[in-house]
């Protein structure tokens, strides 16, 4: 990193006037260390390189960010960071960033078409968008406006909720379902908690990782890195992953499972725990005569068991677990029965200080909802739910919501705002059962098909913000066609990504790390936190803050054209809490909004001030420290009143039963029909408890002999790192990967059979598409499978990310050109894990 900092990166900035002093310093022998030793100031911010959103500080010298570190005031991440925040500096100073608004001059849209972008003013860009939106109002078609959200802060509802609804559209579509909604499905339908969990790593005695890679690419990476040596000393570690991940390399057990068979392993572990008598008597309960009647293959009389804080453990045994032996699971998972039994006994013996760490790898599968339930149910069996050393929910993080905007919704907006959402959530085949509600979630990836089929209607105007669905969604070719079909599309972004190539107007976004006001909420290390981002430097280019300045400017333009509702809402309902001053421009609006929504953190007159955590004395202290910390999580307070239908931890989910029956009734059918429509095999009562479902795969095994699976990079900042030289130069930080390359990892046993050699150029073909990459022979992948990291394969985004940006030639291959548009439909999630597709691998002569 040191070498790159003084050489490659600074040289690339030599032509940028405001950074020329850095380049001169490099050529005259000055080092990064000497620059850092100069007078400077540390300004608080937040890293958004993953969903941990860690509090950080930026070293600013003059008007330049030169360094980043963890925020020492943060109790969540120990004042430490992982590698990702460092790449944010390269992202911010990327010479390939969009520097000014642009408009399209080539009406033809498609990969290979040059958009013919030319610079325009902000007034022209915003005015053009406003004109197109006003055409919708004139034609009573406001519902045909679509807003697509990617990465966001907690100022999101200004642009994501208020703007569409006041304008008159139901269509705010978030990226959530391509991220992890199926992961939340398991904990919700067992303990009533729809969110990511926290984990008491400091006190745990066992960590069972279901595809999770805490040291590299799962959530809470800085916290995990900081405490993992202690975890390694005091706890057993088992990692279930077909790839030898960074965490697996440091584990006691690596279980290279056949992708998509996590559910079989989870129910087999549950079988061992019960049959061995290792469940938690304190949490689950016991037989009345204290004799273990969980005998393999035999049913149990439910009346003989007294449950305490759980519901349906005996029913679960009778209906699912009694025959799910390790030997049975071994045939499906490809793991030795004795290893399954050993890990199960070790995990339960360490309980209740044990963690079954559910991740997207075991959940974001076509039939992953029940795998997610089964993996999380293990925490219930051993009593580690909401327990010291176990898996936890979250503390309260104080914040305000945006002001109510219902008074600004006119008759037209009220009528069209009730139209069906474009992603088809709530239909029979897409329950999207977020928090128990039919259609309560989002089906992000299905939006492309809905646009193409004009079902439930056509989309005429769309805006996307910090999202690149043409790259990041499986079946990405559908998104290219869908974006080309929309008559008018505007993209708010930092770089000209694949999605940008289809835009009519491009708006340059301020970079999140140092050019905008916002705040984030999250949790790590038994603390919740609210963390600020601040405009630490004046932007070099003519950019605007995406969630505040741009909607303000658009509201002004709409007002000039006769629709002032949105502008009146922003101007009248937002005010600086300290001065009472109402905003008169976009930058004042941004500051007023962040101060309003974070007011409980710093305003001593607020009812919640100091009640749940830090009692910061005034806005200036909050802005200086940059983070508000909650009180430390108190365990076992959820016992006895989980937010489920029974108030207990549910092995037989009455909560899911209620949700499925409600969805079936809404669609005029029964639960079995829902299961059939969602590609599940469960029928009858099986739909209401965690159970094994065989993996759903695309492709015939003879034609496509390898199961394809992907993994994440420890250097990838939400899929936006590929244009950073540091990312490419250090790609081998991901086990099995190569610097400045994109490789398909194959076990040498398979390669020898096919006559393939290391570094061969190969074509990887699935039923959905094909890519060309280099082959890497590596023993860290299970035979019969091939693995590839996600993040490469950009045909746009910049001169580093693409092999030839001008001619739309990718560097490597995009996994989403191989993966089909498949779903875990109960949650609405994209099924991007679990070996959803098979592939063939052929050498390119």
């Amino acid at each position: 990193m040191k070498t790159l900092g003084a050489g490659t990166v600074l040289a690339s900035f030599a032509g940028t006037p405001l950074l020329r002093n850095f380049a001169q310093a490099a050529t005259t022998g000055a080092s990064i260390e000497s620059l850092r030793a100069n007078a400077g100031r540390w300004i608080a911010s937040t890293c958004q390189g993953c969903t941990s959103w860690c509090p950080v500080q930026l070293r600013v010298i003059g008007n330049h960010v030169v360094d980043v570190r963890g925020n020492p005031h943060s109790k969540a991440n120990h004042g430490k960071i992982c590698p990702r925040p460092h790449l944010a500096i390269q992202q911010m100073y990327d010479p390939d960033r969009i520097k000014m608004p642009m408009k399209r001059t080539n009406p033809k849209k498609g990969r290979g078409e040059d958009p013919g972008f030319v610079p325009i003013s902000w007034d022209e860009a915003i005015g053009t968008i406003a004109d197109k939106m006003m055409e919708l109002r004139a034609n009573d078609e406001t519902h045909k406006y679509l807003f697509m959200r990617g990465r966001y802060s907690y100022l999101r509802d200004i642009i994501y909720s208020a703007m569409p609804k006041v304008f008159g559209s139901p269509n705010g579509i978030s990226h959530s379902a391509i991220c992890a909604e199926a992961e939340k499905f398991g904990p919700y339908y067992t303990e009533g908690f729809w969110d990511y969990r926290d984990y008491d790593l400091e006190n745990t005695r066992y960590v069972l990782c279901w595809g999770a890679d805490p040291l590299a690419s799962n959530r809470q990476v800085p916290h995990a890195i900081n405490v993992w040596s202690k975890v390694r000393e005091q706890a057993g570690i088992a990692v279930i992953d077909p790839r030898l991940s960074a965490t697996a390399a440091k584990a006691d057990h690596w279980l290279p499972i056949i992708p998509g068979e996590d559910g079989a392993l989870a129910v087999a572990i549950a079988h061992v725990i019960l049959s061995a008598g290792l469940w938690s008597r304190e949490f689950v309960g016991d037989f009345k005569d204290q004799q273990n009647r969980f005998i393999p293959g035999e049913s149990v009389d439910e009346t003989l068991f007294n449950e305490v804080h759980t519901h349906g453990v005996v029913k679960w045994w009778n209906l699912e677990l009694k025959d799910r032996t390790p030997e049975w699971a071994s045939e499906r998972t490809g793991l030795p029965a004795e290893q399954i039994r050993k890990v199960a006994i070790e995990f339960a013996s360490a309980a209740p200080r044990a963690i079954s760490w559910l991740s997207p790898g075991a959940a974001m599968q076509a039939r992953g909802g029940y795998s997610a339930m089964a993996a999380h149910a293990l925490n219930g069996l051993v009593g580690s739910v909401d327990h010291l050393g176990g898996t936890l929910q979250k503390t309260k993080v104080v914040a305000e919501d945006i002001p109510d905007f219902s008074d600004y919704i006119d008759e037209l907006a009220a009528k069209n705002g009730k139209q069906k959402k474009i992603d088809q959530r709530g239909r029979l085949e897409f329950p999207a059962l977020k928090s128990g509600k039919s259609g309560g979630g989002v089906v992000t990836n299905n939006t492309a098909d809905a646009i193409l089929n004009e079902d439930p209607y056509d989309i005429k105007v769309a805006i996307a913000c910090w999202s690149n669905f043409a790259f990041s969604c499986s079946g990405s070719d559908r998104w290219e066609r869908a974006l080309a079909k929309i008559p008018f599309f505007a993209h708010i972004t930092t770089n000209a990504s694949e999605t940008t190539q289809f835009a009519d107007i491009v708006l340059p976004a301020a970079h999140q790390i140092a050019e905008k006001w916002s705040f984030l909420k999250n949790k790590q290390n038994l603390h919740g936190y609210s963390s600020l981002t601040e405009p630490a430097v004046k932007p070099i280019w003519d950019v605007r803050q995406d969630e505040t300045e741009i909607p303000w400017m658009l509201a002004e333009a709409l007002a000039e054209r006769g629709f002032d509702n949105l502008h009146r809402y922003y101007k009248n309902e937002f005010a600086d809490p300290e001065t009472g001053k109402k905003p008169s421009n976009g930058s004042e609006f941004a500051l007023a909004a962040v101060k309003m929504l974070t007011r409980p953190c710093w305003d001593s007159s607020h009812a919640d001030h100091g009640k749940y955590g830090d009692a910061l004395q005034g806005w200036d202290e909050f802005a200086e420290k940059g983070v508000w910390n909650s009180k430390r999580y108190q365990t076992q307070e959820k016992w006895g009143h989980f937010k489920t239908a029974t108030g207990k931890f549910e092995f037989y989910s009455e909560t899911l039963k209620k949700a499925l029956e409600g969805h079936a009734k809404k669609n005029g059918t029964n639960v079995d029909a829902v299961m059939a429509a969602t590609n599940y095999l469960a029928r009858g009562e099986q739909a209401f408890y965690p159970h094994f479902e065989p993996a759903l795969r695309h492709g015939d095994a003879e034609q496509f002999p390898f199961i394809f699976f992907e993994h994440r990079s420890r250097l990838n900042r939400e899929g936006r790192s590929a244009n950073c030289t540091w990312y490419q130069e250090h790609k081998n930080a991901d086990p099995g990967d190569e610097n400045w390359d994109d490789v398909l990892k194959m076990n040498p046993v398979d390669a020898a059979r096919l006559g393939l050699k290391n570094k061969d150029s190969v074509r990887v073909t699935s039923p959905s598409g094909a890519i060309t990459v280099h082959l890497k022979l590596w023993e860290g992948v299970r035979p019969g499978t091939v693995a590839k990291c996600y993040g490469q394969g950009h045909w746009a985004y910049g001169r580093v990310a693409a092999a030839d940006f001008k001619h739309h030639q990718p560097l490597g291959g995009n996994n989403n050109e191989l993966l089909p548009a498949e779903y875990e439909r109960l949650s609405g999630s994209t099924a991007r894990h679990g070996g959803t597709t098979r592939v063939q691998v052929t050498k390119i002569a």
Side-chain angles (χ1 to χ4, degrees):
M1 295 286 245
K2 190 184 302 181
T3 303
L4 278 169
T8 308
V9 176
L10 298 184
S12 72
F13 291 154
T16 306
L18 292 178
L19 295 178
R20 191 170 293 132
N21 62 321
F22 282 0
Q24 289 171 348
T27 58
T28 57
S31 66
I32 289 293
E33 285 77 8
S34 65
L35 280 172
R36 288 173 175 165
N38 290 337
R41 53 201 173 102
W42 289 99
I43 298 177
S45 187
T46 308
C47 174
Q48 286 192 262
C50 76
T51 51
S52 289
W53 298 330
C54 291
V56 300
Q57 288 182 332
L58 308 175
R59 168 82 65 98
V60 176
I61 298 177
N63 191 48
H64 312 300
V65 177
V66 300
D67 201 0
V68 59
R69 69 182 183 187
N71 190 327
H73 301 291
S74 172
K75 296 178 180 179
N77 62 332
H78 311 273
K80 304 293 176 62
I81 55 175
C82 77
R84 289 183 181 88
H86 297 287
L87 275 75
I89 300 177
Q90 272 208 333
Q91 288 179 334
M92 191 173 74
Y93 291 124
D94 183 353
D96 291 337
R97 275 184 66 179
I98 297 171
K99 302 172 177 64
M100 62 197 74
M102 298 185 297
K103 71 176 179 180
R104 184 183 204 91
T105 59
N106 180 7
K108 294 182 180 179
K109 295 183 179 182
R111 191 190 299 204
E113 290 288 347
D114 182 351
F117 287 132
V118 296
I120 57 174
S121 69
W122 274 99
D123 283 346
E124 181 180 352
I126 294 294
T128 302
I129 299 172
D131 286 340
K132 295 297 181 180
M133 293 178 69
M134 289 304 292
E135 288 178 14
L136 295 182
R137 286 196 67 85
N139 296 325
D140 192 11
E141 294 180 317
T142 55
H143 57 291
K144 296 183 178 182
Y145 164 82
L146 167 65
F147 181 83
M148 296 177 283
R149 182 191 80 191
R151 180 50 54 230
Y152 62 89
S153 80
Y154 277 89
L155 298 184
R156 61 191 181 187
D157 286 336
I158 291 171
I159 190 171
Y160 175 70
S161 182
M163 192 168 78
K165 291 176 182 175
V166 172
F167 179 71
S169 174
N171 290 316
I173 301 296
S174 79
H175 77 295
S176 301
I178 64 171
C179 185
E181 295 304 89
E183 178 189 338
K184 301 172 186 176
F185 184 90
Y188 184 81
Y189 289 106
T190 49
E191 67 169 291
F193 180 61
W194 188 279
D195 205 341
Y196 306 124
R197 281 72 55 214
D198 200 355
Y199 305 96
D200 188 4
L201 293 175
E202 185 178 359
N203 294 298
T204 197
R205 296 295 180 265
Y206 208 91
V207 182
L208 180 62
C209 290
W210 295 88
D213 190 7
L215 293 178
S217 64
N218 209 265
R219 297 168 188 89
Q220 310 184 358
V221 175
H223 171 48
I225 291 174
N226 197 69
V227 303
W228 207 255
S229 60
K230 182 178 181 181
V231 174
R232 189 71 189 87
E233 291 173 0
Q234 72 186 20
I237 303 171
V239 175
I240 304 155
D241 198 321
R243 174 185 72 108
L244 184 67
S245 65
T247 305
K250 297 180 179 296
D252 300 290
H253 300 280
W254 174 38
L255 293 84
I257 193 169
I258 296 173
E261 303 297 342
D262 305 85
L265 179 59
V267 296
I269 291 175
H271 171 97
V272 172
I273 291 171
L274 290 175
S275 62
L278 295 175
W279 73 87
S280 169
R281 270 68 175 176
E282 178 188 18
F283 187 70
V284 179
D286 201 358
F287 288 98
K288 294 177 181 178
D289 60 4
Q290 300 181 337
Q291 297 297 311
N292 184 9
R293 287 179 168 77
F294 292 125
I295 300 171
E298 296 186 11
S299 296
V300 176
D301 184 347
E302 293 183 44
T303 64
L304 299 179
F305 196 97
N306 283 330
E307 282 190 87
V308 182
H309 296 298
T310 66
H311 173 78
V313 66
V314 177
K315 189 185 292 282
W316 190 29
W317 170 267
N318 290 339
L319 295 173
E320 177 66 19
L321 300 181
K322 64 183 177 63
D323 299 317
R324 303 308 197 193
T325 65
E327 289 73 21
W328 167 86
S330 179
E331 296 181 7
R332 288 151 183 82
T333 62
L335 302 171
E338 278 310 305
Q339 186 181 36
I340 296 172
R341 184 172 285 106
K342 182 175 177 60
V343 168
I345 291 174
E346 288 179 358
F347 170 75
S349 298
R353 296 190 182 193
I355 295 167
S356 177
W357 191 319
L358 173 64
S359 80
M364 303 282 283
Q365 305 173 6
R367 294 170 177 155
Y370 292 103
S371 299
M373 290 178 70
H376 189 66
L378 298 179
N379 292 304
L381 274 186
V382 301
S384 64
V385 175
D386 201 46
H387 195 283
L388 184 76
T391 177
L392 314 173
Q393 294 190 13
K394 62 181 179 181
T395 58
K396 183 176 178 60
V397 176
V398 293
E400 297 280 12
D401 295 325
I402 64 169
D404 179 61
F405 48 77
S406 58
D407 288 345
Y408 298 88
I409 296 177
D410 63 16
E411 185 177 349
L412 176 62
K415 175 175 68 75
N416 287 341
K418 295 176 182 178
Q419 295 269 5
K420 294 180 179 179
K421 293 180 183 289
I422 190 64
D423 62 341
Q424 301 176 356
R425 68 185 77 177
R427 291 190 181 182
L428 178 63
E429 65 274 24
F430 287 116
L433 298 174
K434 179 181 178 180
S435 300
K437 179 184 177 183
S438 172
V442 61
V443 195
T444 310
N445 201 14
N446 191 53
T447 304
D449 290 315
I451 292 171
L452 289 169
N453 297 326
E454 299 185 5
D455 181 12
Y457 41 75
D458 57 325
I459 292 295
K460 292 188 174 180
V461 175
I463 300 176
C465 180
W466 273 75
S467 58
N468 186 16
F469 294 162
F471 180 86
S472 61
C473 285
S474 57
S476 53
D477 63 299
R478 301 154 41 257
W479 276 98
E480 293 182 25
R481 288 183 282 115
L483 291 169
K485 180 181 174 65
I486 298 173
F488 181 81
F489 172 55
H491 197 200
I492 305 168
T493 184
T494 57
N495 286 64
S497 69
E498 287 73 14
T499 296
T500 315
Q501 307 308 307
F502 299 88
D504 298 284
I505 294 291
V506 184
L507 302 179
H511 195 279
Q512 168 273 327
I513 197 75
E515 297 176 345
K516 62 179 283 189
W517 281 112
S518 69
F519 80 105
L520 288 305
K521 300 187 296 181
N522 218 319
K523 57 187 176 295
Q524 290 183 68
N525 190 28
L526 282 70
H527 288 281
Y529 51 92
S530 180
S531 182
L532 285 174
T533 69
E534 307 183 32
V537 294
K538 183 179 179 180
I540 295 173
W541 298 299
D542 191 14
V543 301
R544 297 290 188 275
Q545 300 175 60
D546 52 322
E547 296 171 316
T548 49
E549 284 189 285
I550 289 176
W552 175 276
M553 296 168 70
L554 186 54
E556 283 186 319
L558 290 171
E560 291 171 359
R561 289 156 175 78
F563 177 70
D564 69 348
N565 299 42
L566 190 63
H567 187 239
R568 285 189 292 110
Y569 167 65
Y570 290 157
K571 188 172 183 179
N572 294 340
E573 302 298 333
F574 289 79
D576 188 311
E578 289 185 301
T579 66
K581 181 183 177 182
K582 296 185 182 298
S584 60
N585 55 53
S587 60
E588 290 180 1
F589 179 55
L591 179 57
V594 76
K595 291 175 75 172
M596 283 179 63
L597 271 61
T598 62
R599 187 174 147 245
C601 297
W602 56 267
D603 187 347
S604 59
S605 68
H606 194 281
D608 287 340
H609 183 256
K611 184 176 179 181
Y612 300 100
D614 293 345
L616 300 173
Q617 297 304 306
W619 168 254
D620 288 344
E621 183 181 5
F622 187 32
E624 188 276 324
K625 289 186 174 179
V627 61
W628 173 95
N629 301 286
S630 77
K631 295 178 181 178
R632 190 171 175 83
Y633 189 96
Q634 298 299 308
T635 59
Q636 294 183 249
E637 292 185 350
K638 305 292 188 298
W639 287 23
H641 46 87
F642 291 102
K643 293 182 178 179
T644 58
T646 62
K648 298 184 175 185
F649 189 100
E650 296 180 343
F651 299 116
Y652 183 94
S653 182
E654 302 291 350
T655 307
L656 180 55
K657 182 178 181 179
K658 180 179 179 182
L660 286 172
E661 289 178 345
H663 178 70
K665 182 178 180 180
K666 172 182 173 181
N667 286 278
T669 187
N670 55 43
V671 173
D672 281 354
V674 173
M675 291 292 100
T678 57
N679 289 329
Y680 277 100
L681 303 183
R683 298 296 183 269
E685 283 192 292
Q686 194 178 23
F688 310 138
Y689 54 81
H691 65 271
F692 164 70
E693 292 261 352
L696 187 156
R697 306 195 201 283
H698 290 242
D700 177 75
E702 290 190 11
Q703 182 181 0
F704 302 100
F706 292 101
I707 300 173
F708 176 87
F709 70 94
E710 67 172 21
H711 63 91
R712 294 301 186 257
S713 170
R714 69 195 318 164
L715 301 179
N716 207 334
R717 289 178 48 81
E718 292 285 358
R720 297 182 177 92
S721 296
N723 210 50
C724 298
T725 55
W726 289 348
Y727 172 85
Q728 303 288 355
E729 184 70 19
H730 297 281
K731 192 66 183 66
N732 65 1
D734 298 312
D737 278 4
E738 296 288 333
N739 296 339
W740 290 99
D741 204 353
D742 191 22
V743 299
L744 181 78
K745 293 176 281 288
M746 176 184 285
N747 193 285
V749 172
D750 293 324
R753 178 170 50 83
L754 296 176
L756 296 173
K757 296 180 180 179
N758 198 46
K759 298 185 179 181
D760 278 350
S761 291
V762 294
R763 184 172 179 84
V764 188
T765 306
S766 77
S768 299
I771 60 174
T772 300
V773 293
H774 288 123
L775 191 67
K776 172 67 179 288
L777 304 189
W778 192 50
E779 294 177 345
V781 291
R782 180 186 177 88
T785 71
V786 288
K788 186 175 167 299
C789 189
Y790 169 77
Q792 301 278 57
H794 282 283
W795 52 271
Y797 216 82
R799 72 194 79 181
V800 177
D804 186 339
F805 182 94
K806 181 178 180 180
H807 296 100
H808 310 100
Q809 296 300 312
L811 177 63
N814 180 6
N815 297 355
N816 286 317
E817 295 185 29
L818 297 175
L819 294 173
E822 189 55 84
Y823 303 87
E824 196 297 303
R825 293 167 181 262
L826 295 183
S827 64
S829 294
T830 293
R832 53 183 172 86
H833 291 301
T836 305
T837 191
R838 292 181 171 274
V839 297
Q840 61 176 227
V841 182
T842 55
K843 183 178 179 179
I844 299 175

